[in-house]
């Protein structure tokens, strides 16, 4: 009876919340005209450029992926980046591969960036904006009200952050183009195991083509995965006409949820370590005169969890934030990436061929292709409220009506339609009242990017491992008559937008979280496969760059950060460096071992609106031969460009200033000072000299 009352009460709670939140936002009409770029000149020489730009927001923005459970970021530990790799084949074709440390890209962001860089000659089809799917980044940059409302704990499109993302990514593309040099590339893949595991094993094994895996085997979840690490390596000429590494565009299928919803600071999750380790290692190995760019994005990660110890389901609270575990896993992927990067040395070629294609389709209006008909009306399944395995909504996950995979999360009557046996969250008609069809995402940018023998399939869905295999098979078959066969092909999820999940029809029937969040019904993967197959066939004969005649959006707008008056105080030290020890003792709980010791320093600075988190702020220096020098720990800089420095905003202070804290985790033996970079009219600030006499673990 309690469960039934909860199900009836849910729509009322949602309605009350919706009315409250709607009162705080306003609607805005956005009309954008697709650009008509000038052709790219043929030079006969293949070139490339790459750059990393910072997209770390100010403190106070809600992080994404956990809906109402999401915290607001009080600072950052690993900066959020957008990494741009521009490749021009010298034959009038080019592509800009953009990876972001975001939960997902958005179609609106893609459109705004395309408009900004239209004078570069890049078409819509040439630009892809991918994501790591970190759950520790802001997300209110979508073109639809549904995910601007439900992806995080704040509501409405944040135009300020959207414009910031547009500016940073557009500038990055333009800089990459301006820095392009004669290039070579190599493409490759290899399988790596022990880094992901299937979080919905029962649904995966229900696929009619999967066999040979024993569900009772505790290691089955580590084999029921997409283990493929994919990479495009890019080298360019230096001033001595020698080719040296510049960048890698990579993909691996794993959820960026190594850190639990309790995390308080922006970060790129396990991806940060894999990205940075390759960048630093390759730069020092090859002595490159430029920074290496490792654009590592996610693949078919819909049902792929990080291969951390399985702690079972959380039902009453969130698991502790385990930074060391995320670091170990991320560094493992980084080591595998470095190995693959070096293995591609012998395959580098100056012969580069690029073909791109894109077709925008409103899938609510054009929901049929061949004998496949997609749902016109999207719907949210009951399991979405309960959350995914190991990331449940506390207490709500106890309710069997919200617990994915249970008999009561499926509809047993009137289930022959396109939504199949999905049990609607809050029932069908109340859901459509509170979440109107027009509030959902509806326009998919179907896109294919071919670079030599590799093909990238960007999709705005979280695609499960088996769904991804079926999609890629359809595309390969569509290209089968070509002279140059496809050797490497992969789906990159959460690209150019976000539509929830795409599962196989068999997985959908099980109605785990992934099936419940497949908004457009059980035929979603079949529909995507069919559309991409047609696009693949068409692009073999024609240039396909089909957009809607006008990009029109009507979205609720709500600024995240309140306008603050200019800071009028002066920077000062608040507390000098002190050691914070969290040493496990006899009888301590396992969670104590997940915590880290650190040295902290606090200072008074300009307010959060002026602090400019996207610019370098904190580093550690040591005195050598009378001069203060930057510090490294192996390849890693000991600064907020590394992964051991954290910056937090604590509280406001007098004169519209703020108090901040810097933490140095895993300090090394020596004598040091904290250095805080200049901000606004405030000069650089330094701590007192402090000593680390023993390595702190």
């Amino acid at each position: 009876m309690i469960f039934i009352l909860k199900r009836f009460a849910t729509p009322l709670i949602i309605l009350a919340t919706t009315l409250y939140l709607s009162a705080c936002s306003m609607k805005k009409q956005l009309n954008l005209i697709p650009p008509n770029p000038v052709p790219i000149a043929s030079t006969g020489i293949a070139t490339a450029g790459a750059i990393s730009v910072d997209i770390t927001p100010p403190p106070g923005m809600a992080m994404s992926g956990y809906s109402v459970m999401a915290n607001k970021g009080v600072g950052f530990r690993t900066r959020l980046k957008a990494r741009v790799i521009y490749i021009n084949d010298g034959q009038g074709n080019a592509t800009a591969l953009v990876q972001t440390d975001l939960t997902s890209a958005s179609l609106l962001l893609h459109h705004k960036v395309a408009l900004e860089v239209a004078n570069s000659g890049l078409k819509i089809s040439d630009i892809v904006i991918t994501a790591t799917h970190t759950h520790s980044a802001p997300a209110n940059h979508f073109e639809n009200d549904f995910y601007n409302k439900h992806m995080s704990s704040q509501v409405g499109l944040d135009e300020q952050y959207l414009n910031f993302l547009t500016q940073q990514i557009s500038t990055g593309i333009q800089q990459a183009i301006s820095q392009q040099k004669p290039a070579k590339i190599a493409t490759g893949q290899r399988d790596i195991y022990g880094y992901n595991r299937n979080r919905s094993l029962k649904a995966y094994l229900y696929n009619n083509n999967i066999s040979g895996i024993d569900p009772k085997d505790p290691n089955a979840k580590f084999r029921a995965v997409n283990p493929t690490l994919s990479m495009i390596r890019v080298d360019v000429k230096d001033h001595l006409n020698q080719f040296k590494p510049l960048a890698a565009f990579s993909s691996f299928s794993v959820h960026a949820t190594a850190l639990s919803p309790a995390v308080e600071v922006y970060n790129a999750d396990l991806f940060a370590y894999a990205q940075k380790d390759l960048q630093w290692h390759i730069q020092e190995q090859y002595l490159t005169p430029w920074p290496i760019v490792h654009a590592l994005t996610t693949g078919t990660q819909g049902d792929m969890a990080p291969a951390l110890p399985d702690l079972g389901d959380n039902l009453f609270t969130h698991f502790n934030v385990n930074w060391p575990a995320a670091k170990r896993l991320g560094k493992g992927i980084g080591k595998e990436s470095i190995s693959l990067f070096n293995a591609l040395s012998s395959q580098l070629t100056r012969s580069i061929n690029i073909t791109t294609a894109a077709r925008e389709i409103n899938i609510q209006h054009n929901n049929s292709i061949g004998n496949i008909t997609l749902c016109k009306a999207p719907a949210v399944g009951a399991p979405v409220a309960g959350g995914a395995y190991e990331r449940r909504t506390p207490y709500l996950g106890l309710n069997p009506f919200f617990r994915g995979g249970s008999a009561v999360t499926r509809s047993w009557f009137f289930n022959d339609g396109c939504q199949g046996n999905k049990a609607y969250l809050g029932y069908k008609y109340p859901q459509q009242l509170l979440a109107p069809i027009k509030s959902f995402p509806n326009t998919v940018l179907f896109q294919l990017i071919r670079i030599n023998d590799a093909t990238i399939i960007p999709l705005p869905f979280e695609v499960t491992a088996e769904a991804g295999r079926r999609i890629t098979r359809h595309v390969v078959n569509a290209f089968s008559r070509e002279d140059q066969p496809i050797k490497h092909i992969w789906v990159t999820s959460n690209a150019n937008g976000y539509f929830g999940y795409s599962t196989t029809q068999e997985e959908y029937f099980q109605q785990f979280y992934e099936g419940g969040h497949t908004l457009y019904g059980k035929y979603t993967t079949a529909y995507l496969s069919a559309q991409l197959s047609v696009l693949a066939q068409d692009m073999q004969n024609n240039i396909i760059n089909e957009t809607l005649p006008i990009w029109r959006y009507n979205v609720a707008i709500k600024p995240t950060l309140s306008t603050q008056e200019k800071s009028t105080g002066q920077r000062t030290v608040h507390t000098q460096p002190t050691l914070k020890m969290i040493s496990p003792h006899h009888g301590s709980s396992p969670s104590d071992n997940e915590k880290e010791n650190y040295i902290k320093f606090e200072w008074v600075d300009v307010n959060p609106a002026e602090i400019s988190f996207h610019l370098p702020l904190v580093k550690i220096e040591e005195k050598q031969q009378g001069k203060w020098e930057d510090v490294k720990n192996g390849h890693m800089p000991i600064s907020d460009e590394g992964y051991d420095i954290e910056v937090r905003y604590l509280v406001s202070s007098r004169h519209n200033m703020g108090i901040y804290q810097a933490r140095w985790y895993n300090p090394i033996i020596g004598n040091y000072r904290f250095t805080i970079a200049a901000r606004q009219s405030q000069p650089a600030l330094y701590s007192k000299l402090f000593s680390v006499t023993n390595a702190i673990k």
Side-chain angles (χ1 to χ4, degrees):
M1 179 61 73
I2 293 177
F3 297 141
I4 294 174
L5 288 174
K6 279 188 175 180
R7 291 200 78 186
F8 275 104
T10 298
L12 298 178
I13 295 170
I14 296 172
L15 177 59
T17 305
T18 302
L19 292 175
Y20 169 74
L21 293 172
S22 298
C24 304
S25 59
M26 64 177 183
K27 282 281 189 176
K28 184 173 182 178
Q29 183 82 32
L30 301 174
N31 295 316
L32 307 175
I33 305 298
N36 187 20
V38 296
I40 296 174
S42 296
T43 62
I45 300 173
T47 56
I51 195 167
S52 177
V53 295
D54 203 292
I55 56 172
T56 310
M61 296 190 69
M63 293 181 285
S64 57
Y66 294 123
S67 192
V68 295
M69 299 186 294
N71 288 324
K72 290 185 176 180
V74 299
F76 64 89
R77 175 148 177 183
T78 59
R79 290 182 167 280
L80 305 181
K81 297 287 187 177
R83 297 172 176 87
V84 179
I85 301 175
Y86 174 82
I87 307 174
N88 186 319
D89 67 4
Q91 304 169 62
N93 309 300
T95 183
L97 308 174
V98 183
Q99 170 265 326
T100 64
D101 291 330
L102 296 172
T103 311
S104 176
S106 88
L107 188 60
L108 177 55
L109 174 63
H110 186 284
H111 287 164
K112 288 177 69 68
V113 168
L115 285 168
E116 289 293 322
V117 301
N119 60 358
S120 68
L122 289 169
K123 307 182 296 296
I124 298 299
S125 62
D126 300 331
I127 303 166
V128 58
I129 303 180
T130 68
T132 57
H133 196 55
T134 176
H135 285 38
S136 303
N140 291 66
H141 54 270
F142 296 108
E143 70 282 353
N144 62 86
D145 286 342
F146 184 79
Y147 283 114
N148 281 334
K149 180 183 293 183
H150 298 297
M151 179 75 87
S152 75
S153 56
Q154 68 191 52
V155 174
L157 172 66
D158 188 320
E159 277 195 294
Q160 183 177 354
Y161 191 57
L162 171 66
N163 292 337
F164 171 71
L165 289 173
T166 301
Q167 178 186 9
Q168 293 296 93
I169 294 172
S170 301
T171 300
I173 292 174
Q174 291 161 348
Q175 289 179 339
I177 293 172
S178 68
Q179 296 172 12
Q180 61 187 306
K181 299 174 177 64
K184 292 182 177 181
I185 69 162
T187 64
Q189 292 179 315
R190 70 167 47 162
D191 289 349
I192 60 174
Y193 287 91
Y195 302 101
N196 56 4
R197 58 177 165 83
N198 200 303
R199 71 183 189 187
S200 295
L201 183 63
K202 182 180 177 182
Y204 179 86
L205 295 180
Y206 197 72
N207 285 303
N208 56 27
N209 61 311
I210 301 296
S211 61
I213 299 177
D214 182 359
K216 296 180 181 179
D217 180 357
N219 291 317
K221 59 193 172 189
F222 298 103
R223 294 198 299 273
V225 297
N226 177 356
T228 305
L229 173 66
S230 305
M231 183 178 290
I232 298 173
R233 171 176 166 169
V234 181
D235 286 26
V236 294
K237 271 188 179 181
D238 65 8
H239 64 286
L240 298 175
N241 282 332
Q242 300 294 315
F243 280 95
K244 288 191 174 182
L246 172 68
F249 185 80
S250 309
S251 177
F252 184 66
S253 300
V254 62
H255 249 85
T257 51
L259 301 173
S260 78
V263 69
E264 297 177 326
V265 290
Y266 309 124
N267 65 85
D269 207 273
L270 76 170
F271 280 80
Y273 307 102
Q275 291 160 348
K276 292 174 183 291
D277 277 4
L278 183 144
Q279 291 173 173
W280 300 326
H281 182 93
I282 296 300
Q283 185 171 356
E284 293 199 7
Q285 178 184 346
Y286 291 89
L287 299 176
T288 64
W290 45 69
I292 299 296
V293 176
H294 185 201
L296 176 61
T297 189
T298 194
T300 54
Q301 45 65 251
D303 50 357
M304 298 292 98
L308 301 173
D310 190 338
L311 301 177
D313 238 346
N314 68 304
L315 296 174
F316 299 101
T317 187
H318 299 303
F319 293 125
N320 291 309
V321 179
N322 193 336
W323 288 96
K327 183 177 182 179
R328 285 192 298 271
L329 197 59
K331 288 179 72 65
I333 298 171
K335 187 176 180 180
E336 301 277 8
S337 301
I338 292 167
S339 177
L340 176 57
F341 187 95
N342 283 325
L344 293 176
S345 294
S346 61
Q347 300 177 39
L348 288 163
T349 176
R350 297 183 68 173
S351 177
I352 300 176
N353 294 288
I354 296 172
T355 310
T356 69
R359 177 173 286 142
E360 284 185 339
I361 298 176
N362 185 315
I363 63 175
Q364 288 182 2
H365 297 161
N366 300 284
N367 66 321
S368 293
I369 179 169
N371 61 352
I372 302 166
T373 300
L374 200 65
C375 296
K376 280 193 172 184
V380 181
V384 176
Y389 179 68
E390 294 181 301
R391 293 292 181 264
R392 302 288 188 198
T393 307
Y395 295 100
L396 201 58
L398 285 167
N399 188 328
F401 289 105
F402 301 140
R403 194 171 178 80
S406 70
V408 291
T409 57
R410 306 176 214 164
S411 174
W412 295 94
F413 304 98
F414 309 109
N415 54 12
D416 293 331
C418 62
Q419 289 291 356
N421 62 341
K422 177 184 287 181
Y424 286 64
L425 177 61
Y427 296 108
K428 181 177 181 178
Y429 295 108
Q431 183 179 124
Q432 291 180 351
L433 174 65
L434 301 171
I437 293 172
K438 64 181 181 180
S439 72
F440 284 83
N442 56 46
T443 300
V444 175
L445 176 62
F446 289 96
Q447 185 178 31
L448 293 169
I449 298 175
R450 290 202 61 178
I451 303 175
N452 287 1
D453 59 1
T455 297
I456 303 167
I457 308 175
L459 280 172
F461 295 80
E462 295 191 58
V463 181
T464 62
E466 179 55 26
R469 292 189 192 104
R470 296 182 185 185
I471 291 170
T472 55
R473 279 198 298 268
H474 276 82
V475 174
V476 168
N477 290 338
F479 281 126
S480 61
R481 297 178 183 176
E482 282 216 331
D483 294 335
Q484 185 180 29
I486 294 175
K487 189 175 180 181
H488 310 293
I489 184 169
W490 65 92
V491 170
T492 176
S493 296
N494 309 292
N496 303 329
Y498 189 73
F499 275 72
Y501 282 68
S502 182
T503 66
T504 67
Q505 191 170 340
E506 300 98 305
E507 291 166 349
Y508 185 92
F509 178 81
Q510 292 293 306
Q511 279 299 293
F512 278 77
Y513 176 85
E514 295 80 12
H517 200 170
T518 300
L519 300 179
Y520 281 88
K522 62 185 181 182
Y523 302 121
T524 298
T525 293
Y527 178 87
L528 298 179
S529 299
Q531 289 288 3
L532 288 164
S533 295
V534 172
L535 182 62
Q537 292 166 1
D538 291 346
M539 73 183 288
Q540 294 176 67
N541 302 311
N542 300 288
I543 296 174
I544 308 298
N545 185 51
E546 299 175 6
T547 68
L548 299 181
I550 185 170
W551 296 323
R552 181 175 287 111
Y553 305 111
N554 187 28
V555 286
I557 306 290
K558 187 182 179 187
T560 301
L561 305 173
S562 57
T563 304
Q564 291 183 279
E565 296 180 3
K566 187 174 178 61
S567 303
T568 58
Q570 294 297 313
R571 281 189 149 176
T572 58
V573 172
H574 188 252
T575 60
Q576 293 291 353
T578 57
L579 175 62
K580 178 71 172 179
M581 292 289 293
I582 310 174
S583 297
H585 54 277
H586 181 70
S588 63
S589 67
S591 64
D592 290 330
N593 296 311
E594 299 166 2
K595 299 177 181 177
E596 304 166 282
N597 301 315
Y598 57 88
I599 293 171
K600 66 177 181 178
F601 170 64
E602 296 178 359
W603 78 101
V604 179
D605 210 330
V606 296
N607 63 55
E610 299 177 307
I611 196 65
S612 300
F613 266 0
H614 65 288
L615 300 176
L617 184 61
V618 178
K619 65 180 179 178
I620 303 294
E621 294 181 319
E622 65 177 338
K623 210 166 194 178
Q624 295 183 350
Q625 299 178 339
K627 292 180 61 179
W628 288 101
E629 303 286 352
D630 295 347
V631 183
K632 281 189 173 183
N633 184 0
H635 297 301
M636 178 181 67
I638 307 301
S639 71
D640 55 27
E641 287 293 338
Y643 44 65
D644 278 345
I645 296 291
E646 181 176 285
V647 181
R648 288 173 172 249
Y649 169 67
L650 301 181
V651 294
S652 61
S653 185
R654 293 185 302 167
H655 308 298
N656 204 31
M657 304 286 279
I659 300 176
Y660 298 83
Q661 181 185 89
R663 298 179 179 183
W664 178 16
Y665 292 97
N666 310 304
I668 53 180
I669 296 172
N671 301 309
Y672 309 101
R673 73 179 182 184
F674 280 89
T675 296
I676 313 301
R679 278 296 185 272
Q680 308 302 332
S681 59
Q682 307 281 348
L685 184 69
Y686 308 98
S687 75
K688 286 184 178 179
L689 182 72
F690 64 93
S691 298
V692 180
T693 55
N694 294 294
I696 301 169
K697 300 294 184 183

